[in-house]
Amino acid sequence: MNFAVGARTDVGRGRPANEDSVLVDHEDRLYAVADGMGGHRAGEVASATAIDALKAAFADGVPLDQAVVEANAAVFEKASGNLDLRGMGTTLTAAALLDDRRVLLGHVGDSRAYLMRDGGVTRITEDHSLVEQLVREGRLRPEEAASHPQKAIITRALGIDPEVEVDTYPLDLLPGDRLLLCSDGLTNMLTDRAIAGILRRQPDPQLAADVLVDMANEAGGDDNITVVVIDARHDSAADGVSSAAAPAAGVEEPTGEWPPFAEEEGEVAPEPPVPAEAETPRSRRGRRALAWLLPVILLFGAGFGALGWYARRTYYVGLAGERVALYRGVPGGVLGWDPTVEQRSGLIADDLTPAQRADLEGGHRFADRSEALRYLRRLEQELTPPPAPASSSTTVPPFGVVDPPDPKTPSTIR
Ligand code: MG
């Protein structure tokens, strides 16, 4: 088998800079996406530092999981040594092609890896996020997770602590398999079903990467978008025979734990027999510890990084003076990250009902920008009188600022 790879990273439409980083290293056959976060563009530094350190360590012969640990140390050290970078962090999801069949994934954070096999697409990695933890514990339904106000809270990232626990997933690929690595700028814009459809329809890996990014942008492009598509292909007929003679499946027990993601949309996708371990006993232990520790961490502030991360990923609608406005950040600010006005509306406080006014004075929070924008538009429609006929050419336009194009809902992408 040989491999063909396509990759692309894009700033998207909602952010001033691209804080994602991507690694395409054909020489060492190492591929990765990293999604950085931190004030003053520290996210760019975090993701780039992690990728550089990962590549250097892996090229030196360090095993993948240990190379991710070294990437964590590199980001942590840089953050500790520079006030502007303090609190920065990054996700990292990496795939190392070990030989012509075996792949090892290393993973921390809420970037993701998916495997397409026989037309079915399965998510392999587990998000290290609060909502996914709540879903695992049965305290939140999967369909509630996507719109949960706290979906941006990450429970594990590189650069936050001197040590990090790395999830690893060994996979045996078969000819025709396709692996996708991506940042949440893709998965927050497109449903798993839409992603699967694109992966099935675009046989060329670079084209698939391009279309995924383009569709995420068309759906709003709220965040930076990074994708890597890795295809496992037959070398030749002879190679195909030898692969068939030594089937990869059965080397390790499939866990069957990964739901095919068409499930929530009602589509029945063939579930591929993924030979891999979802997690090591060590990572299970760690997760139990994390479940216990998380409230403590969040309450007592040892999770500075997670909070800062949250602050930069959260949006709210509030009052800027007397004017209704869309803010990025958390009302009142957190850890030195003050909220910033993203957009001012034509509405003023006097237009609001007393209840709305009280709500907005406290800041009405949303998990992402497009939800906050939708709410703002609803308010504007509700409270702005319809344009009167002819004579009222002086009517104030309902919006103080021109909005970006209306984000399409992911469900329009079929
Ligand atoms: Mg992101």
Side-chain angles (χ1 to χ4, degrees):
M1 250 176 8
N2 63 44
F3 297 95
V5 179
R8 186 161 149 203
T9 183
D10 189 85
V11 65
R13 292 179 175 173
R15 299 283 167 89
N18 191 350
E19 300 191 323
D20 286 0
S21 291
V22 63
L23 175 63
V24 175
D25 178 356
H26 293 305
E27 194 180 328
D28 293 306
R29 308 217 302 173
L30 179 64
Y31 306 89
V33 303
D35 179 350
M37 201 45 64
H40 306 292
R41 294 199 171 178
E44 278 173 57
V45 179
S47 65
T49 302
I51 291 284
D52 289 348
L54 174 81
K55 177 179 158 60
F58 192 74
D60 280 349
V62 175
L64 182 67
D65 57 341
Q66 200 53 39
V68 177
V69 167
E70 292 194 16
N72 175 68
V75 179
F76 183 78
E77 271 167 37
K78 200 171 263 193
S80 322
N82 184 333
L83 265 184
D84 284 341
L85 301 179
R86 194 148 292 178
M88 71 177 179
T90 184
T91 72
L92 186 65
T93 300
L97 308 180
L98 302 179
D99 52 34
D100 71 348
R101 197 186 73 198
R102 290 182 308 139
V103 174
L104 183 62
L105 301 179
H107 167 70
V108 174
D110 70 349
S111 298
R112 291 179 177 176
Y114 292 89
L115 175 67
M116 179 172 86
R117 172 170 294 173
D118 299 330
V121 180
T122 310
R123 169 143 65 102
I124 295 169
T125 49
E126 195 169 75
D127 290 353
H128 300 135
S129 68
L130 182 60
V131 290
E132 191 146 312
Q133 184 178 328
L134 293 175
V135 169
R136 277 199 304 271
E137 292 168 0
R139 293 156 65 189
L140 192 70
R141 288 200 301 270
E143 60 271 24
E144 294 168 327
S147 58
H148 194 279
Q150 288 171 318
K151 77 170 178 181
I153 295 185
I154 292 214
T155 51
R156 224 192 284 176
L158 298 191
I160 306 302
D161 290 310
E163 285 171 24
V164 72
E165 187 180 355
V166 182
D167 287 356
T168 56
Y169 302 86
L171 296 175
D172 278 342
L173 294 185
L174 302 173
D177 281 355
R178 168 172 273 187
L179 202 55
L180 167 69
L181 311 180
C182 59
S183 64
D184 68 341
L186 180 78
T187 51
N188 284 340
M189 288 294 106
L190 299 181
T191 62
D192 284 354
R193 186 180 178 180
I195 292 169
I198 295 165
L199 289 177
R200 279 194 288 262
R201 282 194 301 271
Q202 302 294 339
D204 178 77
Q206 185 58 50
L207 201 59
D210 291 340
V211 172
L212 285 168
V213 169
D214 291 346
M215 294 305 254
N217 270 324
E218 287 206 14
D222 287 349
D223 192 4
N224 310 140
I225 309 151
T226 301
V227 301
V228 176
V229 177
I230 302 168
D231 284 349
R233 294 174 164 178
H234 276 299
D235 262 334
S236 60
D239 181 77
V241 169
S242 71
S243 289
V251 174
E252 286 160 290
E253 281 299 303
T255 67
E257 280 179 5
W258 309 321
F261 57 42
E263 207 168 64
E264 65 181 285
E265 309 250 353
E267 178 185 317
V268 180
E271 187 160 12
V274 182
E277 295 165 359
E279 54 183 9
T280 61
R282 183 170 163 258
S283 87
R284 260 194 296 276
R285 265 202 313 278
R287 213 167 62 200
R288 275 198 296 274
L290 193 73
W292 184 84
L293 272 174
L294 187 72
V296 180
I297 290 171
L298 289 178
L299 280 174
F300 296 104
F304 281 162
L307 277 174
W309 195 287
Y310 176 44
R312 301 305 298 166
R313 286 185 167 197
T314 301
Y315 290 82
Y316 70 95
V317 175
L319 293 175
E322 279 303 288
R323 201 165 279 276
V324 177
L326 171 70
Y327 283 88
R328 181 183 183 188
V330 176
V334 58
L335 296 175
W337 277 300
D338 289 327
T340 51
V341 174
E342 288 254 311
Q343 210 171 101
R344 278 173 225 275
S345 159
L347 289 176
I348 57 172
D350 282 347
D351 296 332
L352 304 169
T353 66
Q356 286 169 334
R357 185 175 178 142
D359 181 33
L360 296 197
E361 270 167 356
H364 191 128
R365 297 189 201 195
F366 297 89
D368 62 40
R369 188 171 189 277
S370 57
E371 271 177 53
L373 261 181
R374 268 198 293 279
Y375 176 78
L376 186 57
R377 293 221 179 86
R378 250 201 330 273
L379 265 188
E380 284 165 334
Q381 275 161 14
E382 218 175 281
L383 298 171
T384 308
S391 64
S392 67
S393 58
T394 56
T395 306
V396 179
F399 308 115
V401 179
V402 176
D403 288 336
D406 225 332
K408 284 181 195 159
T409 62
S411 62
T412 61
I413 296 155
R414 287 278 148 75

